[in-house]
Amino acid sequence: MLKTTRPTIAALAGAGLLLTACGSGVEDPADADAAEGRTDGAESADVDVSLENCGQQLQFDAAPQRIVGMSPAQTELLVRLGLADRMVGLAQTASSELPEDIGAQLDGVEELSEDMPPAREILMQVEPDFVYAPTSYEFSADQGFASIEQLDEAGAAPYIATGGCFERRAEGTVEDLFVDIENVGEIFAAEESAAELIADGRERLDQAAQLSEGAEPLTVAQVYVEGDSISVVGGGVEYDIIAQAGGDNVFSPDEEQFSSFVFAQISAEELAARDPEAITFGVEDAAHEEATREYFEQNHAEIQAVQEDWLIPVPNHHLFPGSLQNVDAVELVAEGLYGD
């Protein structure tokens, strides 16, 4: 399924392919060397890594040198591992803003796309040898994107966030993030940085879990509202974020409506019938948050969560598979449910 900044079923089905074109111009040779030399001049570390990723076997005898982050979440993870000097392309940059300290390290790195994955030709122009994507969708040849097979032929290793693998999307968990950090750390001989990221993430999750210790689990619905359309979460890392925060999701992965994807559109009546004590909802920005709150106040005054104003906004990009912000999302929800 397509990952966009508005991950509802309707938005996913109606999204079109947006292509970005590279501009031309005259640049100082020193500037060009600074941008391109960030990778070509780096010494490749010898590694001996063999691992399975989304059904494909990846083998590395040297750390990749030319990396493309197919979303800001993957780009941030790579930079946190100390790999900013190897980045040659940034994709889907409009899906979320990079933290200021991360963006500052990526001056001169080419932006390949904004709202959608880059077209095959645009991706190939930067000659990557490692392409890190949040989901399998980014490698859909029928959408005009470079396929896994085409990247293999070009000598580029495609890596998909574990929680975004097609066969695992419905069962994805926050723990998958740590699998990715460990794998990428081994591929780039950055095990020490990876271990630090994992330790920090686990410590924060433990602290978030302490907020609900001894408390009766609150019933929660995680929703996304666009206009009068309601989508709810019933699986994937989005579902696990609620569980990690100590909530009891009123929708279950076992339900038929989640058999094809982790999101399902429901009627207003069905949400009211589940009557959750709290509602978490994905937001793009302040305006979207305000519109969602207004929707609940005007249409669902009978639901406990609305009556008690137990509405917890979570930025959409915190919910993407393989994002360091999965931990932030757990903290936000735990604090919203059980904090003072």
Side-chain angles (χ1 to χ4, degrees):
M1 292 294 290
L2 166 63
K3 174 192 67 61
T4 69
T5 55
R6 289 199 168 206
T8 63
I9 300 303
L12 293 173
L17 178 60
L18 301 178
L19 305 182
T20 59
C22 299
S24 62
V26 178
E27 61 180 346
D28 186 272
D31 293 337
D33 290 342
E36 295 182 6
R38 62 169 57 242
T39 57
D40 295 338
E43 183 178 346
S44 177
D46 291 334
V47 298
D48 183 13
V49 177
S50 179
L51 56 86
E52 184 176 337
N53 173 248
C54 292
Q56 61 173 337
Q57 195 68 29
L58 299 179
Q59 179 72 44
F60 301 88
D61 56 14
Q65 294 295 295
R66 299 183 63 83
I67 312 171
V68 170
M70 293 290 270
S71 83
Q74 276 60 54
T75 295
E76 179 183 357
L77 193 154
L78 290 162
V79 175
R80 296 285 182 209
L81 289 175
L83 304 172
D85 62 339
R86 304 188 191 194
M87 301 296 299
V88 297
L90 311 175
Q92 301 190 90
T93 56
S95 61
S96 65
E97 290 188 14
L98 286 169
E100 186 174 345
D101 65 319
I102 298 297
Q105 299 181 57
L106 298 172
D107 287 344
V109 180
E110 187 169 353
E111 182 180 295
L112 306 180
S113 68
E114 294 183 352
D115 298 307
M116 301 286 283
R120 180 185 307 112
E121 296 79 7
I122 293 177
L123 176 60
M124 293 303 193
Q125 282 176 1
V126 297
E127 300 179 348
D129 60 4
F130 187 83
V131 181
Y132 189 6
T135 70
S136 305
Y137 174 76
E138 276 75 13
F139 300 126
S140 301
D142 61 346
Q143 298 292 320
F145 313 144
S147 68
I148 287 176
E149 293 73 21
Q150 290 166 337
L151 288 168
D152 283 339
E153 292 174 3
Y159 186 95
I160 303 169
T162 300
C165 297
F166 179 78
E167 65 275 10
R168 182 168 171 74
R169 186 66 177 91
E171 291 82 34
T173 66
V174 176
E175 184 68 25
D176 292 334
L177 167 64
F178 301 132
V179 173
D180 293 328
I181 295 173
E182 183 174 1
N183 285 346
V184 177
E186 290 182 1
I187 292 169
F188 289 94
E191 291 92 343
E192 184 175 345
S193 295
E196 291 175 357
L197 279 180
I198 292 171
D200 177 70
R202 291 194 189 283
E203 181 180 359
R204 290 169 58 193
L205 290 177
D206 289 343
Q207 291 174 350
Q210 292 174 13
L211 293 177
S212 61
E213 284 185 357
E216 185 72 20
L218 293 167
T219 58
V220 183
Q222 184 173 338
V223 310
Y224 187 91
V225 176
E226 185 172 21
D228 292 329
S229 175
I230 308 174
S231 295
V232 295
V233 165
V237 65
E238 300 91 339
Y239 183 88
D240 189 55
I241 285 169
I242 300 299
Q244 293 274 351
D248 179 15
N249 201 318
V250 295
F251 293 94
S252 167
D254 298 330
E255 297 180 42
E256 178 63 26
Q257 59 189 336
F258 302 111
S259 61
S260 60
F261 193 48
V262 298
F263 281 91
Q265 284 189 322
I266 63 169
S267 66
E269 291 75 17
E270 183 173 359
L271 181 62
R274 304 291 177 115
D275 197 21
E277 295 172 276
I279 291 175
T280 70
F281 59 98
V283 298
E284 297 175 31
D285 50 35
H288 186 214
E289 176 181 345
E290 182 179 356
T292 300
R293 290 185 182 278
E294 289 179 357
Y295 169 82
F296 283 122
E297 292 168 0
Q298 295 172 8
N299 297 280
H300 287 293
E302 77 285 1
I303 295 178
Q304 292 184 71
V306 180
Q307 292 175 356
E308 300 295 331
D309 194 25
W310 223 326
L311 306 174
I312 307 168
V314 180
N316 282 334
H317 65 272
H318 283 25
L319 307 172
F320 294 162
S323 170
L324 292 170
Q325 277 72 46
N326 291 167
V327 178
D328 296 83
V330 173
E331 290 176 327
L332 280 173
V333 175
E335 181 66 30
L337 293 176
Y338 304 106
D340 293 337

